């Protein structure tokens, strides 16, 4: 129980740090050659070429994403957050946010890769078909820790970077669903909670996520 509380406090501390940055100005256009990150010019987990490959593979571009529209008053509110009109597996409101908010294509690609793990987290509440063993649950939980760690470490150097986590879990229902899914994961993990990992190189996990995107595409072909 102590470990559950510790993990939850860690995630909420990340949320608090991110909210402070939420009011800062953010760039609106992805540039092919944006200015280098200041200080030590931190090495991002994806280079620009691989990031653009991921965007192409996922059909993510300002021309592909549907424009915002007004939902009918009779519409189910939950559908507003689940809509994917361009059918590329990425929620439309989140996809628009990535394209409008990040100047670097690497950051857009990272947001897409992170969302795939968050998707799995929320899907767990509806079905445990993909997460059946404690090792699978442990991997997903560790991936989510690594995502938070990576953004936190990058924000120390790139002061303009805002983690997309609060844009993905952008209402109380989604935040509560995230919390409930994490508790379910910990329940599945059971006695393996001692193997929860705080990565020494958390951003390297994004490079691993990117490799899986390519493997999935080759398998599909």
């Amino acid at each position: 129980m102590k470990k559950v509380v510790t993990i939850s406090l860690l995630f909420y501390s990340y949320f608090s740090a991110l909210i402070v940055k939420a009011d800062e100005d953010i760039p609106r256009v992805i540039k092919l050659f944006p200015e280098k990150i200041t200080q030590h010019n931190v090495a991002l987990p994806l280079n620009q070429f691989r990031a653009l490959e991921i965007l192409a593979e996922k059909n993510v571009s300002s021309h592909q994403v549907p424009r915002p529209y007004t939902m009918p008053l009779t519409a189910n509110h939950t559908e507003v957050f689940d809509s994917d009109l361009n059918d590329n597996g990425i929620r439309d409101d989140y996809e628009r946010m990535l394209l409008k908010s990040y100047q670097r294509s690497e950051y857009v690609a990272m947001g897409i890769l992170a969302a795939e793990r968050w998707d799995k987290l929320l899907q767990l509440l509806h079905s445990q078909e993909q997460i059946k063993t404690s090792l699978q649950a442990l991997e997903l939980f560790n991936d989510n820790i690594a995502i938070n760690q990576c953004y936190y470490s990058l924000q120390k150097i790139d002061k303009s970077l805002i983690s997309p986590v609060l844009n993905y879990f952008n209402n109380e229902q989604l935040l509560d669903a995230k919390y409930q899914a994490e508790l379910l994961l910990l329940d599945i993990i059971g006695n393996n909670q001692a193997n929860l990992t705080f990565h020494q190189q958390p951003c390297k996990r994004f490079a691993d996520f990117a490799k899986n995107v390519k493997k999935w595409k080759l398998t599909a072909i």
Side-chain angles (χ1 to χ4, degrees), residues 150-193:
C150 179
Y151 277 110
Y152 183 73
S153 64
L154 291 177
Q155 285 173 326
K156 290 182 178 179
I157 298 176
D158 185 353
K159 304 299 183 182
S160 66
L161 175 61
I162 299 174
S163 169
V165 64
L166 291 182
N167 293 102
Y168 183 92
F169 300 101
N170 59 1
N171 60 55
E172 290 184 8
Q173 291 84 1
L174 286 174
L175 283 173
D176 182 65
K178 177 182 184 295
Y179 176 70
Q180 296 300 328
E182 287 168 352
L183 290 181
L184 181 55
L185 273 183
L186 288 173
D187 186 54
I188 298 173
I189 291 169
N191 294 331
N192 283 332
Q193 289 187 26

Side-chain angles (χ1 to χ4, degrees), residues 202-218:
C203 290
K204 185 179 180 297
R205 288 299 296 146
F206 279 94
D208 296 333
F209 299 159
K211 290 177 183 177
N212 290 334
V213 169
K214 203 156 195 174
K215 287 180 181 178
W216 177 87
K217 185 179 181 182
L218 291 172

Side-chain angles (χ1 to χ4, degrees), residues 43-66:
L44 295 175
L46 307 172
N47 60 36
Q48 187 182 67
F49 178 76
R50 182 65 189 119
L52 292 174
E53 271 191 333
I54 291 172
L55 299 188
E57 290 164 2
K58 295 291 186 179
N59 294 321
V60 174
S61 73
S62 57
H63 298 292
Q64 295 286 344
V65 66

Side-chain angles (χ1 to χ4, degrees), residues 67-80:
R67 294 181 179 180
Y69 61 95
T70 303
M71 292 289 290
L73 294 178
T74 56
N76 185 336
H77 183 67
T78 58
E79 293 178 355
V80 176

Side-chain angles (χ1 to χ4, degrees), residues 12-27:
Y12 283 121
S13 66
Y14 283 150
F15 285 156
S16 299
L18 294 170
I19 291 171
V20 172
K21 286 185 168 287
D23 293 330
E24 295 182 359
D25 292 334
I26 52 180

